[in-house]
Amino acid sequence: MSAFDLTGRLALVTGSSRGIGRTLAQGLAEAGATVIVHGRDAATAGRAAEEISASTGVDAHVATFDVGGSAAVDAGLDAIEERHGVPDIVVNNAGIQRRAPLAEFPDADWDDLVRTNLSSAFYVSRRVSRGMIARGSGKLIQIGSVQSLLARPSIAAYGATKGAIAMLTKGLCADLAPHGIQANAIAPGYFATELTQALVDDEQFSAWVRSRTPAGRWGDTSDLVGALVFLSSAASDFVNGQTIYVDGGMTAVV
């Protein structure tokens, strides 16, 4: 099992002060990695880092740069590398959702989705890849969605960004695999988080999720940790350009 051990690795998880990202950062720390908790609010990210350190005994640090701007990403990674070195693992998790019928979808919401869900992953991966190339190793993990493959009404724009994440992951593989870097994606199904609580509480929608998912339930954020540790570790050194659907079987059935 030593191939799954992340002791001595440095991991940056964007958007990890709460929700799915918070669980992912916790899981990497439990596997031995030193983690950098990232979020827009320094106080929230700081509390998350303190909790991770206290529960795992592993160092956790904080970063608060804007992942949606290339200059801010470059400056943020410069600071991380100066203090801690080049991350071994980067999880591009930052993301938002906007819902509206296609004919009424606002330009501002489209721009926000592309900036946060897609451009951020490109900017962070581009910047951190330079140090990974020089070192000859690294793990880039994008967080996609079942909407990387499937569509639903009112979220065409969100689905477009998540579909692009799957192709960005393949492109990262094409460019970076010759340098010893693996780029893969995890695509969650329907997960119960604070951001989806309204949907969880909607019994009609929850009944649809349970009936549409062969596992018969919403996902728990802890269900994502195993795939993440695998893709972050030496156990996945010959896995590249892939999207792993952690969805209770939703994308496997009609």
Side-chain angles (χ1 to χ4, degrees), residues 11 44 49 68 77 82 84 89-90 95 97 116 128-129 138 175 177 189 249-250:
T44 303
L77 265 297
E82 183 177 343
H84 309 293
I89 302 156
V90 170
Q97 174 64 290
T116 306
V128 80
S129 70
D175 275 336
M250 177 177 277

Side-chain angles (χ1 to χ4, degrees), residues 93-180:
N93 169 75
I96 59 172
Q97 174 64 290
R98 298 285 186 269
R99 299 176 183 274
L102 179 65
E104 303 165 15
F105 205 90
D107 288 354
D109 284 354
W110 166 262
D111 292 341
D112 284 348
L113 281 165
V114 171
R115 180 178 184 273
T116 306
N117 294 1
L118 180 59
S119 295
S120 66
F122 175 80
Y123 294 148
V124 172
S125 297
R126 179 180 63 182
R127 174 59 184 80
V128 80
S129 70
R130 297 165 189 163
M132 290 180 171
I133 289 170
R135 185 180 56 212
S137 67
K139 302 282 186 175
L140 293 170
I141 300 151
Q142 285 57 251
I143 303 300
S145 168
V146 287
Q147 270 76 49
S148 297
L149 187 64
L150 304 174
R152 276 186 59 79
S154 82
I155 57 170
Y158 176 83
T161 64
K162 291 303 184 178
I165 282 292
M167 283 308 303
L168 175 62
T169 298
K170 292 179 184 290
L172 294 173
C173 167
D175 275 336
L176 302 177
H179 301 283

Side-chain angles (χ1 to χ4, degrees), residues 49-246:
E50 289 173 2
E51 292 167 0
I52 290 170
S53 291
S55 62
T56 65
V58 173
D59 288 339
H61 307 283
V62 174
T64 57
F65 58 89
D66 177 11
V67 291
S70 62
V73 166
D74 288 350
L77 265 297
D78 285 347
I80 287 172
E81 291 182 2
E82 183 177 343
R83 293 175 192 150
H84 309 293
V86 177
D88 301 285
I89 302 156
V90 170
V91 184
N92 285 308
N93 169 75
I96 59 172
Q97 174 64 290
R98 298 285 186 269
R99 299 176 183 274
L102 179 65
E104 303 165 15
F105 205 90
D107 288 354
D109 284 354
W110 166 262
D111 292 341
D112 284 348
L113 281 165
V114 171
R115 180 178 184 273
T116 306
N117 294 1
L118 180 59
S119 295
S120 66
F122 175 80
Y123 294 148
V124 172
S125 297
R126 179 180 63 182
R127 174 59 184 80
V128 80
S129 70
R130 297 165 189 163
M132 290 180 171
I133 289 170
R135 185 180 56 212
S137 67
K139 302 282 186 175
L140 293 170
I141 300 151
Q142 285 57 251
I143 303 300
S145 168
V146 287
Q147 270 76 49
S148 297
L149 187 64
L150 304 174
R152 276 186 59 79
S154 82
I155 57 170
Y158 176 83
T161 64
K162 291 303 184 178
I165 282 292
M167 283 308 303
L168 175 62
T169 298
K170 292 179 184 290
L172 294 173
C173 167
D175 275 336
L176 302 177
H179 301 283
I181 300 165
Q182 291 80 53
N184 294 287
I186 296 172
Y190 283 85
F191 276 69
T193 70
E194 58 191 274
L195 297 180
T196 61
Q197 192 59 51
L199 295 176
V200 175
D201 293 340
D202 182 334
E203 185 48 43
Q204 183 177 2
F205 190 85
S206 274
W208 175 81
V209 169
R210 292 191 297 269
S211 66
R212 181 65 180 80
T213 306
R217 64 175 176 86
W218 286 78
D220 184 274
T221 55
S222 62
D223 292 322
L224 297 166
V225 172
L228 176 66
V229 171
F230 168 64
L231 293 177
S232 300
S233 71
S236 62
D237 280 353
F238 203 57
V239 179
N240 219 332
Q242 304 304 306
T243 297
I244 298 177
Y245 288 86
V246 183

